[in-house]
Amino acid sequence: MTEVHLRDALDTLKSTGVRITPQRHAILEFIIQSMSHPTADDIYKALESKFPSMSVATVYNNLRVFREAGLVNELTYGDSSSRFDFVTNDHYHMICDTCGKIVDFHYPGLDEVEHLASHLTGFDVSYHRMEIYGVCPTCKEHATKVQ
């Protein structure tokens, strides 16, 4: 499935006139394969040995291109670094208060919230975003062992 996503994403970039450089290809592939919603620094650190001349600015610039092409979502949470999520479908996020881990989940019933909100307020809804916060199983287990 990842290969299909990568090929489709590369086609999307090409169709908008974006040149596919080796660094751009590698950054996109990393985001697609990553389930951790990486920061730009995470991506840079993962790829710096393969591309020693690549800078963090290169990563940020490519992430901006991907975001503008609709391939990634930038997830911002307060003062912490933005995280990037490859867009495959509408989904939501569980976020660990302790370690910051982000896990995707899908719940189609929330689409009804957009319709209701539009109906009640008269707004034309463009999108919605939902995060649920808690403690992940790993942190919960670690806290139990410490006590």
Side-chain angles (χ1 to χ4, degrees):
M1 189 64 130
T2 301
E3 302 262 336
V4 172
H5 289 311
L6 180 60
R7 190 171 50 249
D8 289 347
L10 292 171
D11 288 345
T12 297
L13 290 173
K14 288 176 189 173
S15 72
T16 60
V18 174
R19 191 169 58 91
I20 307 302
T21 64
Q23 292 92 339
R24 189 166 282 151
H25 187 281
I27 293 167
L28 187 58
E29 186 174 26
F30 182 83
I31 292 171
I32 291 171
Q33 291 177 348
S34 174
M35 297 304 291
S36 65
H37 305 80
T39 65
D41 285 338
D42 293 336
I43 297 166
Y44 171 74
K45 289 173 185 167
L47 299 176
E48 71 179 327
S49 63
K50 189 174 180 183
F51 299 98
S53 63
M54 183 173 67
S55 67
V56 176
T58 300
V59 174
Y60 275 106
N61 289 336
N62 280 291
L63 290 169
R64 180 183 45 76
V65 168
F66 300 158
R67 189 183 68 237
E68 289 171 358
L71 297 175
V72 299
N73 283 329
E74 182 174 1
L75 308 174
T76 54
Y77 302 107
D79 293 338
S80 62
S81 297
S82 292
R83 294 179 168 271
F84 295 88
D85 188 16
F86 182 70
V87 179
T88 55
N89 58 17
D90 289 334
H91 63 272
Y92 308 101
H93 297 104
M94 288 290 306
I95 302 161
C96 181
D97 289 323
T98 305
C99 69
K101 179 180 182 176
I102 302 172
V103 176
D104 294 341
F105 75 97
H106 180 72
Y107 182 71
L110 290 175
D111 295 338
E112 295 174 22
V113 172
E114 282 189 7
H115 299 296
L116 179 62
S118 178
H119 177 73
L120 293 175
T121 66
F123 275 60
D124 288 336
V125 176
S126 51
Y127 70 95
H128 72 268
R129 174 175 136 171
M130 184 169 105
E131 295 106 26
I132 299 175
Y133 295 83
V135 179
C136 72
T138 304
C139 291
K140 192 166 47 175
E141 181 180 322
H142 178 71
T144 303
K145 288 179 182 177
V146 170
Q147 291 175 352

